Amino acid sequence: MKTATFLNRDEFLNHWQGHRNLTRRTIEKFPEEEFFSFSIGGMRTFGELVKELLTISVPGLEGIVNKDDKPFSHDIELADKAAALKMWDEQTEQINELYNKISDEELYETFNLFGQYKDQTNNNLMYFHDNEIHHRAQGFVYLRALGIEPPFFWER
């Protein structure tokens, strides 16, 4: 009988990057004219959600690697969808570089992420991943409301 295994560090990064690829494809499908204007039920626009994702993962990883707990800020300049995609691609590479600077031991150390989320580093990394899935799902709802088929989630 096989027992369940969890992802090792390389498998986790590969899994996370697969989700980033799916989120990128979701951004690509979003109409430019709706990116920073369309919302449902008072939720933030998909452009604002993407800004949050861009201001959490890489800045959070930089904080973990540099042991810097400075607060986060979602205040970045994104003029349009093309700028979001450019920053997304740049950060995809940065995630690989920063993640690989975290040792196995450091994954289980407690870190006060952004000076307010005190948890083990591996749990902070899961938060980055889970937060992205949550906001991408909102983007899927928006796309469907706009009559656009979202990318297939199993094609990461």
Side-chain angles (χ1 to χ4, degrees), residues 36-66:
F36 284 110
S37 64
F38 185 80
S39 72
I40 297 173
M43 292 191 301
R44 291 177 286 166
T45 68
F46 192 53
E48 289 298 318
L49 299 173
V50 169
K51 279 176 71 171
E52 178 184 314
L53 296 174
L54 290 167
T55 58
I56 294 287
S57 294
V58 167
L61 279 167
E62 289 172 337
I64 291 166
V65 168
N66 298 318

Side-chain angles (χ1 to χ4, degrees), residues 113-132:
L113 182 67
F114 301 123
Q116 58 184 338
Y117 303 108
K118 195 170 190 175
D119 205 344
Q120 286 184 335
T121 294
N122 62 339
N123 291 331
N124 287 324
L125 296 174
M126 287 301 296
Y127 168 75
F128 301 157
H129 176 261
D130 293 346
N131 189 50
E132 179 180 331

Side-chain angles (χ1 to χ4, degrees), residues 1-9 11-12:
M1 181 171 132
K2 281 192 160 192
T3 59
T5 59
F6 294 94
L7 300 177
N8 67 36
R9 64 178 294 117
E11 291 168 334
F12 172 76

